[in-house]
Amino acid sequence: MQKVAIIYQSRTPPPINGIIKPMKPGGYSDSGADIAYSLKKQNIEVITPTINPQIDHDLDWVFPDTKEGIQLATAKGANIIWLNTVLYKNHPIEEFIHLGISVVGQIPENVDLYDDKWITNELLKSNGLPIPKSVMMDQKNKNDFDLNFSFPVVAKPIRGRGSQGVSLVQNEYELRDVLNEMFHSNTYGESLYVEEFLSGQEVTVTIMPPGKYFINKENIIKNNYWSLPAVKRFNHENGIAPYNGKVAITNNSEVLQDSELQSLTIQQLNTACEKAARLVESKAPIRIDCRANFVGKYFLFDLNMKPNMTGASRPHRTDQDSLTALAARKIGWNFDDLILNMLNNSWCLNND
């Protein structure tokens, strides 16, 4: 019998090679509670820290992602741990995975590696996928750089989270100011990422892993990675999609029209994103942000191993569907359907 506990991010991950990934306020406890409540509504046994979790109190529904938090969840009977947290090498969950616990989520070591935009985009580029031109910046070259692409450019963290810390920069003077400010704050660590700005349409593609799914009242086996319908982003602020902590996704995003979804351009983009998911050995949904240049050619610019999984499962959060939840609705899944299909593709070392 499935007994599920959801863990959330209780602390900032350790710096990796001097690069910091900032922590989301609340550590994804909001989406963790959305997931837990959705499962409970569907008669899945959900293990929670409190006996009677309150519907609007996020921390009643989720366990911290510490060794002690996971031990408490398993002691209370959980046999599946939902990894609604930022993972990294030597994360406490690794010990439990090696002991045979089932999980929903990614391989921690893979997240550690592919959360680095530079490493990931170099991997994708070396495998023939379209990636924007870019350069890494550190304290040594922040004032003496040689870009192989023209302004405007985008400056961003190497281990970022959504659009937090992302800036559109118009010239080298602005770039020096932005880099100095980001380095001075030390929010993102010792290295930053600068890439060419793409002026065309932005879309987000969610890629699901191979597995068993229930779609249109049928059980379907997907032998390969597959894409949910692409979601268009609009109402950008200074060329950048606003952080969803400030603007609800439902206010600036919508699934592409059928004619565009069926276009060769988007079909080719889906194929590229599915190849990217295969390269990073994704075990759960990932999200890839893509943008077209001025002639309409799409590039993959941000592969997110842990897409935010908020959803409209609780009455006070009806506007909180994530990009993945929006895409899922196009194939007939509401948030509950999406979550149940994710649960049904949990994995463990013993059966993988």
Side-chain angles (χ1 to χ4, degrees), residues 212-226:
K212 298 177 181 178
Y213 294 92
F214 190 70
I215 306 173
N216 295 327
K217 301 180 180 180
E218 288 187 59
N219 290 306
I220 296 174
I221 295 177
K222 296 279 192 178
N223 293 315
N224 300 303
Y225 290 95
W226 59 287

PDB file of all heavy atoms in Angstrom, residues 212-226:
ATOM      1  N   LYS A 212       4.375   4.537 -16.917  1.00  0.00           N
ATOM      2  CA  LYS A 212       2.971   4.174 -17.101  1.00  0.00           C
ATOM      3  C   LYS A 212       2.103   5.376 -16.748  1.00  0.00           C
ATOM      4  O   LYS A 212       2.242   5.949 -15.665  1.00  0.00           O
ATOM      5  CB  LYS A 212       2.613   2.976 -16.210  1.00  0.00           C
ATOM      6  CG  LYS A 212       3.398   1.710 -16.530  1.00  0.00           C
ATOM      7  CD  LYS A 212       3.031   0.594 -15.558  1.00  0.00           C
ATOM      8  CE  LYS A 212       3.835  -0.669 -15.855  1.00  0.00           C
ATOM      9  NZ  LYS A 212       3.525  -1.767 -14.892  1.00  0.00           N
ATOM     10  N   TYR A 213       1.188   5.720 -17.649  1.00  0.00           N
ATOM     11  CA  TYR A 213       0.356   6.903 -17.456  1.00  0.00           C
ATOM     12  C   TYR A 213      -1.107   6.583 -17.746  1.00  0.00           C
ATOM     13  O   TYR A 213      -1.423   5.648 -18.499  1.00  0.00           O
ATOM     14  CB  TYR A 213       0.827   8.036 -18.373  1.00  0.00           C
ATOM     15  CG  TYR A 213       2.210   8.539 -18.022  1.00  0.00           C
ATOM     16  CD1 TYR A 213       3.347   8.013 -18.634  1.00  0.00           C
ATOM     17  CD2 TYR A 213       2.389   9.522 -17.055  1.00  0.00           C
ATOM     18  CE1 TYR A 213       4.623   8.459 -18.306  1.00  0.00           C
ATOM     19  CE2 TYR A 213       3.655   9.978 -16.711  1.00  0.00           C
ATOM     20  CZ  TYR A 213       4.760   9.438 -17.337  1.00  0.00           C
ATOM     21  OH  TYR A 213       6.019   9.884 -17.002  1.00  0.00           O
ATOM     22  N   PHE A 214      -1.983   7.373 -17.163  1.00  0.00           N
ATOM     23  CA  PHE A 214      -3.418   7.258 -17.407  1.00  0.00           C
ATOM     24  C   PHE A 214      -3.859   8.539 -18.104  1.00  0.00           C
ATOM     25  O   PHE A 214      -3.894   9.612 -17.501  1.00  0.00           O
ATOM     26  CB  PHE A 214      -4.168   7.067 -16.089  1.00  0.00           C
ATOM     27  CG  PHE A 214      -5.617   6.700 -16.269  1.00  0.00           C
ATOM     28  CD1 PHE A 214      -5.981   5.449 -16.751  1.00  0.00           C
ATOM     29  CD2 PHE A 214      -6.621   7.613 -15.969  1.00  0.00           C
ATOM     30  CE1 PHE A 214      -7.327   5.108 -16.929  1.00  0.00           C
ATOM     31  CE2 PHE A 214      -7.963   7.296 -16.138  1.00  0.00           C
ATOM     32  CZ  PHE A 214      -8.320   6.035 -16.610  1.00  0.00           C
ATOM     33  N   ILE A 215      -4.125   8.436 -19.401  1.00  0.00           N
ATOM     34  CA  ILE A 215      -4.463   9.597 -20.224  1.00  0.00           C
ATOM     35  C   ILE A 215      -5.727   9.285 -21.013  1.00  0.00           C
ATOM     36  O   ILE A 215      -5.835   8.233 -21.650  1.00  0.00           O
ATOM     37  CB  ILE A 215      -3.322   9.948 -21.203  1.00  0.00           C
ATOM     38  CG1 ILE A 215      -1.991  10.127 -20.465  1.00  0.00           C
ATOM     39  CG2 ILE A 215      -3.661  11.222 -21.983  1.00  0.00           C
ATOM     40  CD1 ILE A 215      -0.802  10.316 -21.391  1.00  0.00           C
ATOM     41  N   ASN A 216      -6.696  10.197 -20.961  1.00  0.00           N
ATOM     42  CA  ASN A 216      -7.959  10.024 -21.697  1.00  0.00           C
ATOM     43  C   ASN A 216      -8.605   8.677 -21.401  1.00  0.00           C
ATOM     44  O   ASN A 216      -9.034   7.945 -22.300  1.00  0.00           O
ATOM     45  CB  ASN A 216      -7.744  10.197 -23.206  1.00  0.00           C
ATOM     46  CG  ASN A 216      -7.327  11.596 -23.584  1.00  0.00           C
ATOM     47  OD1 ASN A 216      -7.741  12.569 -22.945  1.00  0.00           O
ATOM     48  ND2 ASN A 216      -6.482  11.714 -24.601  1.00  0.00           N
ATOM     49  N   LYS A 217      -8.641   8.331 -20.112  1.00  0.00           N
ATOM     50  CA  LYS A 217      -9.296   7.112 -19.622  1.00  0.00           C
ATOM     51  C   LYS A 217      -8.640   5.839 -20.115  1.00  0.00           C
ATOM     52  O   LYS A 217      -9.266   4.779 -20.150  1.00  0.00           O
ATOM     53  CB  LYS A 217     -10.784   7.126 -19.994  1.00  0.00           C
ATOM     54  CG  LYS A 217     -11.541   8.326 -19.417  1.00  0.00           C
ATOM     55  CD  LYS A 217     -13.005   8.302 -19.798  1.00  0.00           C
ATOM     56  CE  LYS A 217     -13.725   9.514 -19.197  1.00  0.00           C
ATOM     57  NZ  LYS A 217     -15.178   9.536 -19.553  1.00  0.00           N
ATOM     58  N   GLU A 218      -7.358   5.951 -20.510  1.00  0.00           N
ATOM     59  CA  GLU A 218      -6.626   4.769 -20.952  1.00  0.00           C
ATOM     60  C   GLU A 218      -5.297   4.670 -20.238  1.00  0.00           C
ATOM     61  O   GLU A 218      -4.642   5.676 -19.982  1.00  0.00           O
ATOM     62  CB  GLU A 218      -6.348   4.840 -22.470  1.00  0.00           C
ATOM     63  CG  GLU A 218      -7.543   4.636 -23.363  1.00  0.00           C
ATOM     64  CD  GLU A 218      -7.125   4.563 -24.834  1.00  0.00           C
ATOM     65  OE1 GLU A 218      -6.323   3.675 -25.181  1.00  0.00           O
ATOM     66  OE2 GLU A 218      -7.579   5.424 -25.602  1.00  0.00           O
ATOM     67  N   ASN A 219      -4.905   3.437 -19.910  1.00  0.00           N
ATOM     68  CA  ASN A 219      -3.558   3.193 -19.400  1.00  0.00           C
ATOM     69  C   ASN A 219      -2.595   3.123 -20.575  1.00  0.00           C
ATOM     70  O   ASN A 219      -2.803   2.326 -21.500  1.00  0.00           O
ATOM     71  CB  ASN A 219      -3.517   1.888 -18.601  1.00  0.00           C
ATOM     72  CG  ASN A 219      -4.269   1.995 -17.291  1.00  0.00           C
ATOM     73  OD1 ASN A 219      -3.996   2.890 -16.491  1.00  0.00           O
ATOM     74  ND2 ASN A 219      -5.221   1.104 -17.058  1.00  0.00           N
ATOM     75  N   ILE A 220      -1.578   3.972 -20.547  1.00  0.00           N
ATOM     76  CA  ILE A 220      -0.646   4.087 -21.668  1.00  0.00           C
ATOM     77  C   ILE A 220       0.775   3.924 -21.146  1.00  0.00           C
ATOM     78  O   ILE A 220       1.142   4.502 -20.120  1.00  0.00           O
ATOM     79  CB  ILE A 220      -0.791   5.450 -22.364  1.00  0.00           C
ATOM     80  CG1 ILE A 220      -2.194   5.570 -22.989  1.00  0.00           C
ATOM     81  CG2 ILE A 220       0.287   5.650 -23.429  1.00  0.00           C
ATOM     82  CD1 ILE A 220      -2.487   6.929 -23.575  1.00  0.00           C
ATOM     83  N   ILE A 221       1.553   3.121 -21.848  1.00  0.00           N
ATOM     84  CA  ILE A 221       2.973   2.985 -21.512  1.00  0.00           C
ATOM     85  C   ILE A 221       3.778   3.877 -22.456  1.00  0.00           C
ATOM     86  O   ILE A 221       3.687   3.748 -23.686  1.00  0.00           O
ATOM     87  CB  ILE A 221       3.436   1.521 -21.626  1.00  0.00           C
ATOM     88  CG1 ILE A 221       2.728   0.657 -20.587  1.00  0.00           C
ATOM     89  CG2 ILE A 221       4.957   1.428 -21.430  1.00  0.00           C
ATOM     90  CD1 ILE A 221       3.070  -0.813 -20.676  1.00  0.00           C
ATOM     91  N   LYS A 222       4.528   4.777 -21.885  1.00  0.00           N
ATOM     92  CA  LYS A 222       5.424   5.646 -22.648  1.00  0.00           C
ATOM     93  C   LYS A 222       6.840   5.089 -22.512  1.00  0.00           C
ATOM     94  O   LYS A 222       7.409   5.087 -21.426  1.00  0.00           O
ATOM     95  CB  LYS A 222       5.374   7.080 -22.113  1.00  0.00           C
ATOM     96  CG  LYS A 222       4.018   7.767 -22.264  1.00  0.00           C
ATOM     97  CD  LYS A 222       3.820   8.323 -23.645  1.00  0.00           C
ATOM     98  CE  LYS A 222       2.621   9.255 -23.702  1.00  0.00           C
ATOM     99  NZ  LYS A 222       2.430   9.843 -25.047  1.00  0.00           N
ATOM    100  N   ASN A 223       7.387   4.619 -23.604  1.00  0.00           N
ATOM    101  CA  ASN A 223       8.727   4.011 -23.567  1.00  0.00           C
ATOM    102  C   ASN A 223       9.841   5.038 -23.649  1.00  0.00           C
ATOM    103  O   ASN A 223      11.002   4.715 -23.370  1.00  0.00           O
ATOM    104  CB  ASN A 223       8.871   2.999 -24.709  1.00  0.00           C
ATOM    105  CG  ASN A 223       7.950   1.795 -24.522  1.00  0.00           C
ATOM    106  OD1 ASN A 223       7.867   1.244 -23.428  1.00  0.00           O
ATOM    107  ND2 ASN A 223       7.246   1.403 -25.577  1.00  0.00           N
ATOM    108  N   ASN A 224       9.513   6.257 -24.029  1.00  0.00           N
ATOM    109  CA  ASN A 224      10.515   7.306 -24.199  1.00  0.00           C
ATOM    110  C   ASN A 224      10.070   8.566 -23.468  1.00  0.00           C
ATOM    111  O   ASN A 224       8.909   8.691 -23.057  1.00  0.00           O
ATOM    112  CB  ASN A 224      10.713   7.610 -25.690  1.00  0.00           C
ATOM    113  CG  ASN A 224      11.184   6.402 -26.471  1.00  0.00           C
ATOM    114  OD1 ASN A 224      12.212   5.818 -26.149  1.00  0.00           O
ATOM    115  ND2 ASN A 224      10.438   6.009 -27.496  1.00  0.00           N
ATOM    116  N   TYR A 225      10.989   9.508 -23.321  1.00  0.00           N
ATOM    117  CA  TYR A 225      10.637  10.815 -22.773  1.00  0.00           C
ATOM    118  C   TYR A 225       9.618  11.476 -23.694  1.00  0.00           C
ATOM    119  O   TYR A 225       9.668  11.310 -24.922  1.00  0.00           O
ATOM    120  CB  TYR A 225      11.886  11.683 -22.629  1.00  0.00           C
ATOM    121  CG  TYR A 225      12.801  11.201 -21.530  1.00  0.00           C
ATOM    122  CD1 TYR A 225      13.872  10.350 -21.802  1.00  0.00           C
ATOM    123  CD2 TYR A 225      12.581  11.575 -20.202  1.00  0.00           C
ATOM    124  CE1 TYR A 225      14.710   9.893 -20.783  1.00  0.00           C
ATOM    125  CE2 TYR A 225      13.405  11.120 -19.180  1.00  0.00           C
ATOM    126  CZ  TYR A 225      14.457  10.273 -19.474  1.00  0.00           C
ATOM    127  OH  TYR A 225      15.261   9.821 -18.470  1.00  0.00           O
ATOM    128  N   TRP A 226       8.691  12.237 -23.108  1.00  0.00           N
ATOM    129  CA  TRP A 226       7.634  12.857 -23.915  1.00  0.00           C
ATOM    130  C   TRP A 226       7.268  14.218 -23.337  1.00  0.00           C
ATOM    131  O   TRP A 226       7.432  14.472 -22.152  1.00  0.00           O
ATOM    132  CB  TRP A 226       6.411  11.947 -24.009  1.00  0.00           C
ATOM    133  CG  TRP A 226       5.782  11.572 -22.705  1.00  0.00           C
ATOM    134  CD1 TRP A 226       6.258  10.695 -21.769  1.00  0.00           C
ATOM    135  CD2 TRP A 226       4.537  12.067 -22.164  1.00  0.00           C
ATOM    136  NE1 TRP A 226       5.398  10.606 -20.701  1.00  0.00           N
ATOM    137  CE2 TRP A 226       4.334  11.414 -20.912  1.00  0.00           C
ATOM    138  CE3 TRP A 226       3.576  12.967 -22.638  1.00  0.00           C
ATOM    139  CZ2 TRP A 226       3.213  11.665 -20.121  1.00  0.00           C
ATOM    140  CZ3 TRP A 226       2.455  13.213 -21.851  1.00  0.00           C
ATOM    141  CH2 TRP A 226       2.289  12.561 -20.606  1.00  0.00           C
TER     142      TRP A 226
END
